[in-house]
Amino acid sequence: MFSHIMIGARDLERMVAFYDAILAPLDLGRAVELDDVDDAGVIWRKENRRWPQFAIGRPINGLPATWGNGVQISFAAPSREAVDRAWTMAMQKGAHDEGAPGVRTKYAEDFYAAYCRDPEGNKLCFVHANGLSA
């Protein structure tokens, strides 16, 4: 499907703390220490897997990082409980609510998801559904 997703960050340290907290319930761990950040950014992935990756970093072109209108990053969750934990942690860490956890039958009978915007405005979704590999 994809190798990696990367978004820009204005406050890298704050965003790393945010993503460390919200990605833990999804079994995604950080693979790069802040002292070792280069143009590849800060990377999260499943343990013992190289791909796919989620990364954040300062834009290489030196311009300020901005969120994309119409852009959403959706993370597969291993369970409904993991969706709940990730969304709750996001709310506690400064995210903005875009839709509490629940079934979205307009997408599928078993599409359980929650939505938020990270502290810099990027729209996120945490989703669990049958057949979705987390």
Side-chain angles (χ1 to χ4, degrees):
M1 176 66 73
F2 62 86
S3 63
H4 64 285
I5 295 171
M6 182 163 197
I7 60 171
R10 293 183 301 274
D11 184 340
L12 191 60
E13 291 76 18
R14 179 179 183 204
M15 293 289 278
V16 166
F18 176 83
Y19 281 102
D20 277 347
I22 71 162
L23 295 179
L26 307 178
D27 300 324
L28 296 170
R30 183 160 36 109
V32 176
E33 294 301 322
L34 278 174
D35 295 339
D36 298 327
V37 175
D38 58 18
D39 287 348
V42 180
I43 298 167
W44 287 263
R45 61 184 179 216
K46 296 273 186 183
E47 187 175 357
N48 299 319
R49 290 188 56 191
R50 182 176 177 196
W51 308 103
Q53 301 175 357
F54 173 72
I56 65 172
R58 293 183 182 93
I60 294 171
N61 65 5
L63 296 174
T66 60
W67 53 270
N69 187 26
V71 175
Q72 175 179 287
I73 301 163
S74 300
F75 293 98
S79 66
R80 288 182 174 195
E81 293 77 21
V83 169
D84 296 346
R85 288 192 312 273
W87 183 84
T88 298
M89 183 58 66
M91 294 299 100
Q92 292 172 356
K93 295 293 184 180
H96 301 279
D97 183 3
E98 290 278 329
V103 176
R104 281 16 186 228
T105 55
K106 66 182 176 181
Y107 302 125
E109 298 271 330
D110 65 341
F111 193 92
Y112 188 84
Y115 302 86
C116 67
R117 290 196 181 266
D118 73 16
E120 294 191 3
N122 299 291
K123 189 170 183 184
L124 308 176
C125 172
F126 311 106
V127 62
H128 176 75
N130 293 330
L132 181 63
S133 179

